[in-house]
């Protein structure tokens, strides 16, 4: 996703309101007019406790966004909103319980009324029903190459990767190069069969596997020779490079053209 697209997304109410809520306490405490009206203070400065809370918040956001594999400005914001709003909730309660209750009400209402925008662009993804559904597709025609993403609906890394996988499917999908998704939260049998943990602490979400001739040939993230999981950043360019999608696309397109020509000759 380009920087310009990120800027356009930021104009949506969800992001504008959440950014406001995330900085509401600092703005209220640092702007003299607002500070004097709300806190009745002539010196608008953060005290030691407030500074500690904000410093702790920065550390949590840095750790969590690294774990979720956030790679764009929108990803970072989406991953950090929960923590920034909770920190603001604590700060408002610390300053004035009435303001804390008001902020909590606004916090809850925004969560109910303004859900995070989902990807609305084109995609060519087949949603598969567990291990059996995937196995049926793999054995139906072994000449089809499959790129399959294993995910859960609640995992932030999977949520961040969803639009990237959709864009890849729209760009590369062919009749003999297909993109599929399996929700291992809903179909744990698929996670068990392909050795992908769906635990809340799992570092295997999402997992993308490339199948050729009905068999797995590549996956990310993968384990090294010692069995240790190698961390993988699921950006658009990284996925293309890791699975050599450009060359696979050319090979599949060439193979598909030859099959069409053979069918045309037979028909004649």
């Amino acid at each position: 996703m380009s920087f310009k697209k990120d800027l356009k997304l930021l104009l949506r109410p969800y992001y504008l309101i959440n950014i406001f809520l995330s900085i509401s306490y600092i703005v209220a405490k640092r702007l003299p007019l607002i500070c004097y009206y709300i806190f009745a203070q002539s010196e608008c400065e953060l005290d030691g406790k407030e500074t500690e809370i904000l410093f702790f918040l920065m550390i949590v956001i840095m750790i969590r966004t690294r774990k979720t594999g956030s790679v764009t400005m929108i990803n970072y914001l989406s991953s950090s909103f929960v923590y920034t709003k909770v920190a603001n909730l604590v700060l408002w309660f610390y300053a004035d319980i009435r303001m804390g209750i008001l902020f909590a009400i606004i916090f809850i209402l925004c969560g109910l009324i303004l859900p995070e925008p989902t990807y609305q662009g084109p995609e060519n993804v087949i949603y598969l029903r567990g291990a059996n559904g995937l196995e049926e597709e793999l054995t139906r025609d072994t000449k089809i190459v499959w790129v399959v993403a294993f995910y859960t609906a609640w995992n932030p890394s999977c949520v961040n990767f969803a639009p990237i996988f959709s864009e890849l499917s729209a760009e590369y999908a062919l009749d003999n190069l297909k993109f599929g998704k399996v929700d291992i939260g809903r179909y744990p049998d698929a996670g068990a069969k392909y050795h992908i943990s769906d635990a809340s602490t799992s570092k295997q979400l999402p997992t993308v596997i490339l199948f050729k001739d009905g068999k797995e040939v590549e996956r990310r993230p993968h384990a090294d020779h010692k069995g240790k999981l190698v961390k993988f950043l699921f950006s658009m360019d990284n996925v293309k490079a890791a699975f050599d999608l450009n060359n696979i696309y050319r090979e599949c397109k060439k193979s598909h053209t030859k099959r069409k020509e053979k069918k045309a000759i037979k028909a004649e």
Side-chain angles (χ1 to χ4, degrees):
M1 188 176 293
S2 68
F3 182 70
K4 289 183 178 179
K5 287 183 179 179
D6 280 354
L7 289 178
K8 288 181 180 179
L9 283 175
L10 283 178
L11 297 177
R12 294 188 178 184
Y14 169 83
Y15 295 104
L16 291 175
I17 291 175
N18 276 282
I19 289 171
F20 172 75
L21 292 176
S22 299
I23 63 174
S24 60
Y25 189 83
I26 295 177
V27 171
K29 199 68 185 284
R30 296 295 295 168
L31 290 180
L33 291 176
I34 299 176
C35 176
Y36 180 75
Y37 179 77
I38 296 177
F39 303 103
Q41 296 177 352
S42 56
E43 294 184 4
C44 298
E45 297 288 342
L46 296 170
D47 63 25
K49 191 71 173 180
E50 293 166 337
T51 304
E52 287 177 8
I53 293 172
L54 290 172
F55 184 71
F56 179 72
L57 169 66
M58 289 176 62
I59 295 173
V60 170
I61 292 174
M62 289 174 65
I63 293 172
R64 294 305 301 174
T65 50
R66 282 177 64 86
K67 285 186 177 181
T68 57
S70 302
V71 292
T72 69
M73 177 173 59
I74 292 296
N75 293 153
Y76 275 111
L77 286 174
S78 298
S79 300
S80 64
F81 278 150
V82 172
Y83 308 107
T84 55
K85 288 187 292 185
V86 169
N88 274 268
L89 181 62
V90 173
L91 288 167
W92 280 114
F93 268 110
Y94 171 74
D96 187 330
I97 190 170
R98 294 170 299 177
M99 297 301 296
I101 293 172
L102 177 61
F103 186 86
I105 293 171
I106 296 172
F107 187 163
I108 295 170
L109 286 176
C110 287
L112 295 173
I113 298 172
L114 289 174
E116 183 175 357
T118 56
Y119 177 74
Q120 300 295 326
E123 69 170 22
N124 199 342
V125 177
I126 298 171
Y127 290 85
L128 303 163
R129 296 185 177 182
N132 291 334
L134 175 56
E135 190 65 27
E136 287 175 8
E137 293 293 343
L138 292 176
T139 55
R140 181 176 291 127
D141 186 349
T142 56
K143 292 182 180 180
I144 295 176
V145 176
W146 279 89
V147 182
V148 182
F150 297 80
Y151 73 103
T152 62
W154 49 263
N155 184 274
S157 297
C158 296
V159 173
N160 290 339
F161 180 58
I164 294 174
F165 193 75
S166 294
E167 288 183 39
L168 287 170
S169 71
E171 182 178 353
Y172 288 100
L174 296 166
D175 287 343
N176 58 344
L177 174 55
K178 296 185 178 182
F179 288 74
K181 292 184 78 172
V182 180
D183 184 350
I184 62 172
R186 186 178 180 185
Y187 302 105
D189 61 314
K193 181 173 182 177
Y194 294 99
H195 309 290
I196 302 168
S197 171
D198 64 346
S200 59
T201 56
S202 175
K203 295 181 181 179
Q204 293 179 284
L205 295 173
T207 289
V208 177
I209 300 179
L210 176 67
F211 295 92
K212 286 184 177 180
D213 300 320
K215 298 178 181 179
E216 176 183 337
V217 295
E218 193 71 69
R219 76 159 62 193
R220 292 293 185 277
H222 67 289
D224 60 17
H225 64 283
K226 294 181 180 180
K228 185 178 180 181
L229 200 67
V230 179
K231 187 175 180 180
F232 184 76
L233 188 62
F234 281 94
S235 67
M236 178 80 73
D237 292 336
N238 284 354
V239 174
K240 287 182 179 181
F243 295 97
D244 197 18
L245 286 181
N246 288 324
N247 284 329
I248 289 175
Y249 176 81
R250 283 194 289 267
E251 290 172 4
C252 289
K253 194 171 184 179
K254 186 177 180 180
S255 174
H256 183 59
T257 302
K258 286 182 178 179
R259 290 179 71 178
K260 275 188 172 181
E261 289 176 350
K262 287 181 179 179
K263 286 183 179 179
I265 292 172
K266 287 181 180 180
E268 290 177 358

